[in-house]
């Protein structure tokens, strides 16, 4: 299957090649939730200046990525209307990029709807009272390290950053 090769390229950091194969897989009818989300988040990350510079992404690719990730999230929502992870990313990205309102209660509801989908912890663990989600964050971090795609690396980087801030605050005696 094409998307397995796309995942391999994604894990290797060969972003443009991975995106091409993810797109090819979609066209071939491999419309899995994983494929939609991997490609959408890969494209979203490609719009980040640091990410695109690090991976030497061409301006045409970055422009396409900026147009494509919102439509992929909409497609994923239509194909998987019950997916808590799709709904999470549809709210999280506008919050992360534009500061749109995203209530912690909404994340908590998503987490309760499907406790096997831990990605809402990314947002909750980043909240001031997020220490209560530490165990779930560690579990999610482990899953992300095992997966290694751009989507997982993003999640791992957010969780890792929060852990570092908490440990730093604790070391300075200012933990909450």
């Amino acid at each position: 299957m094409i998307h397995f090769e796309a995942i391999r390229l994604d894990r290797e950091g060969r972003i443009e090649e991975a995106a091409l194969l993810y797109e090819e897989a979609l066209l071939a009818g491999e419309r899995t939730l994983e494929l939609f989300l991997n490609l959408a988040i890969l494209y979203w990350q490609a719009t980040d200046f640091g990410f695109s510079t690090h991976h030497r992404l061409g301006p045409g690719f970055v422009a396409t990525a900026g147009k494509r990730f919102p439509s992929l999230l909409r497609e994923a929502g239509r194909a998987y209307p019950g997916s808590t992870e799709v709904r999470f990313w549809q709210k999280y990205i506008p919050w992360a990029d534009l500061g749109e309102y995203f209530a912690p209660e909404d994340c908590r509801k998503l987490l309760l709807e499907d406790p096997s989908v831990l990605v809402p912890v990314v947002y909750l663990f980043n909240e001031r009272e997020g220490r209560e989600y530490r165990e779930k964050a560690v579990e999610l971090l482990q899953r992300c390290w095992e997966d290694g795609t751009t989507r997982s690396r993003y999640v791992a980087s957010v969780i890792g950053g929060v852990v570092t801030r908490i440990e730093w605050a604790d070391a300075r005696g200012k933990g909450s």
Side-chain angles (χ1 to χ4, degrees), residues 114-126:
D114 187 350
S116 69
V117 176
L118 295 178
V119 76
V121 169
V122 169
Y123 180 82
L124 294 170
F125 189 56
N126 204 20

Side-chain angles (χ1 to χ4, degrees), residues 11-176:
R11 288 175 176 153
E12 291 174 4
R14 296 165 61 184
I15 302 303
E16 291 191 46
E17 294 170 85
L20 185 63
L21 285 185
Y22 280 133
E23 291 283 10
E24 208 175 293
L26 281 174
L27 288 172
E30 295 180 45
R31 301 173 64 81
T32 66
L33 179 60
E34 176 187 43
L35 196 149
F36 274 118
L37 292 174
N38 280 354
L39 183 55
I41 304 311
L42 180 146
Y43 277 150
W44 174 55
Q45 285 297 280
T47 65
D48 178 85
F49 181 73
F51 184 93
S52 65
T53 301
H54 173 77
H55 291 283
R56 295 186 171 107
L57 303 178
F61 179 82
V62 174
T64 297
K67 293 175 189 158
R68 189 77 174 107
F69 83 80
S71 65
L72 281 165
L73 287 175
R74 283 190 300 276
E75 280 183 63
R78 284 191 297 273
Y80 297 92
S83 170
T84 57
E85 188 165 1
V86 170
R87 289 195 318 268
F88 169 79
W89 288 112
Q90 288 173 332
K91 291 254 191 194
Y92 179 85
I93 292 172
W95 169 79
D97 281 356
L98 306 170
E100 289 188 15
Y101 183 70
F102 189 17
E105 300 79 42
D106 292 341
C107 264
R108 287 185 189 96
K109 284 179 191 172
L110 290 172
L111 201 53
L112 288 172
E113 279 178 31
D114 187 350
S116 69
V117 176
L118 295 178
V119 76
V121 169
V122 169
Y123 180 82
L124 294 170
F125 189 56
N126 204 20
E127 288 295 305
R128 188 169 186 83
E129 70 278 2
R131 288 174 184 256
E132 69 185 88
Y133 294 98
R134 187 181 192 103
E135 189 175 307
K136 288 182 190 301
V138 169
E139 181 182 343
L140 180 57
L141 189 57
Q142 183 62 43
R143 289 182 191 180
C144 289
W145 285 336
E146 291 169 5
D147 181 66
T149 60
T150 298
R151 174 170 56 128
S152 291
R153 284 191 308 271
Y154 173 80
V155 170
S157 72
V158 172
I159 292 171
V162 174
V163 168
T164 300
R165 281 197 316 270
I166 289 171
E167 289 173 354
W168 179 251
D170 286 349
R172 295 181 59 211
K174 296 182 181 183
S176 52

